[in-house]
């Protein structure tokens, strides 16, 4: 398995809707294994294929909710249903999220509390997961990646200005920028 470079905001692959995967070939199996390795190396709780420069509709996740509960999996050609978003401003403490394609930054964003993920695993078998809270947030974040949407695109005005500043400061926002987990220590 290989740790892959993670593409940084500004590259078209992150801002373009991804294509369906279809059949999970051996090449897809290798990609998924590399994405899992990359996600753990980053470290992050989720990673979508466009973030490693591959415009395909798949993502992986791994989130330790508590001592006894590890959520992890592979979603190929996923569909996502979400509950209506609660009205009000996102809380800095409990609703801030980050993205490995905007490394080191976090901003608050209101997400739906509940989500239903329907997808296939590497074995091609369809499955469904009903998620709440942080897992539902992870699914929404990763699913957005497959539609060319970053969480930065969803931020309220003040936070959108904050992320734009950070992108300018770091010299991101142009094609071809990436970072390599374990080599470039960008994720704080
Ligand atoms: Zn992300």
């Amino acid at each position: 398995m290989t740790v892959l470079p993670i593409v940084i905001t500004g590259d078209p692959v992150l801002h373009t809707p991804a294509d369906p995967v279809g059949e999970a070939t051996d090449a897809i199996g290798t990609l998924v294994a590399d994405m899992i390795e990359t996600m753990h190396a980053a470290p992050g709780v989720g990673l979508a294929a466009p973030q490693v420069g591959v415009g395909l509709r798949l993502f992986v996740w791994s989130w330790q909710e508590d001592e006894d509960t590890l959520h992890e999996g592979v979603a190929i050609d996923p569909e996502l249903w979400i509950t209506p978003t609660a009205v009000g401003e996102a809380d800095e403490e409990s609703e801030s999220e980050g993205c490995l394609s905007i490394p080191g930054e976090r901003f608050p964003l209101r997400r739906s509390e509940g989500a239903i993920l329907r997808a296939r695993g590497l074995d091609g078998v369809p499955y469904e997961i009903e998620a709440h809270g942080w897992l539902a947030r992870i699914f929404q974040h990763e699913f957005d990646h497959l539609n060319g949407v970053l969480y930065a695109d969803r931020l309220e005005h003040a936070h959108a200005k904050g992320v734009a500043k950070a992108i300018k400061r770091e010299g991101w926002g142009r094609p071809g920028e990436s970072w390599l987990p374990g080599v470039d220590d960008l994720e704080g």
Side-chain angles (χ1 to χ4, degrees):
M1 292 190 289
T2 313
V3 174
L4 303 170
I6 298 178
V7 177
I8 291 174
T9 183
D11 196 282
V13 73
L14 290 174
H15 309 283
T16 308
D19 294 324
V21 175
E23 194 195 339
T25 58
D26 287 353
I28 294 295
T30 302
L31 172 65
V32 165
D34 290 347
M35 283 174 59
I36 291 170
E37 179 113 344
T38 304
M39 169 177 63
H40 289 308
V45 294
L47 189 68
Q51 293 185 275
V52 293
V54 179
L56 289 175
R57 302 187 72 82
L58 75 88
F59 65 78
V60 297
W61 75 93
S62 177
W63 174 55
Q64 190 85 43
E65 181 170 9
D66 54 46
E67 237 174 73
D68 304 319
T69 319
L70 172 67
H71 303 275
E72 60 181 353
V74 180
I76 294 175
D77 292 336
E79 297 173 67
L80 194 74
W81 283 265
I82 55 173
T83 57
T85 312
V87 177
E89 268 189 32
D91 180 63
E92 299 254 359
E93 286 282 305
S94 62
E95 296 181 85
S96 282
E97 66 182 69
C99 178
L100 295 174
S101 292
I102 312 173
E105 303 294 331
R106 289 181 77 80
F107 290 93
L109 173 63
R110 182 59 50 94
R111 294 277 195 184
S112 296
E113 205 283 324
I116 294 173
L117 173 72
R118 275 186 206 154
R120 299 188 311 276
L122 272 177
D123 55 8
V125 178
Y127 66 82
E128 179 176 308
I129 296 173
E130 191 177 335
H132 296 277
W134 203 260
L135 184 60
R137 178 180 293 271
I138 292 169
F139 287 166
Q140 289 167 76
H141 181 112
E142 301 309 329
F143 188 76
D144 269 355
H145 273 301
L146 308 185
N147 294 325
V149 175
L150 300 188
Y151 87 106
D153 302 325
R154 293 190 178 276
L155 294 174
E156 294 162 31
H157 183 65
H159 301 308
K161 275 193 352 203
V163 80
K165 246 188 194 169
I167 287 167
K168 198 171 171 198
R169 185 186 67 228
E170 300 291 341
W172 298 333
R174 56 172 193 251
E177 295 288 318
S178 66
W179 68 284
L180 190 60
V183 176
D184 307 315
D185 188 19
L186 283 172
E187 183 68 352

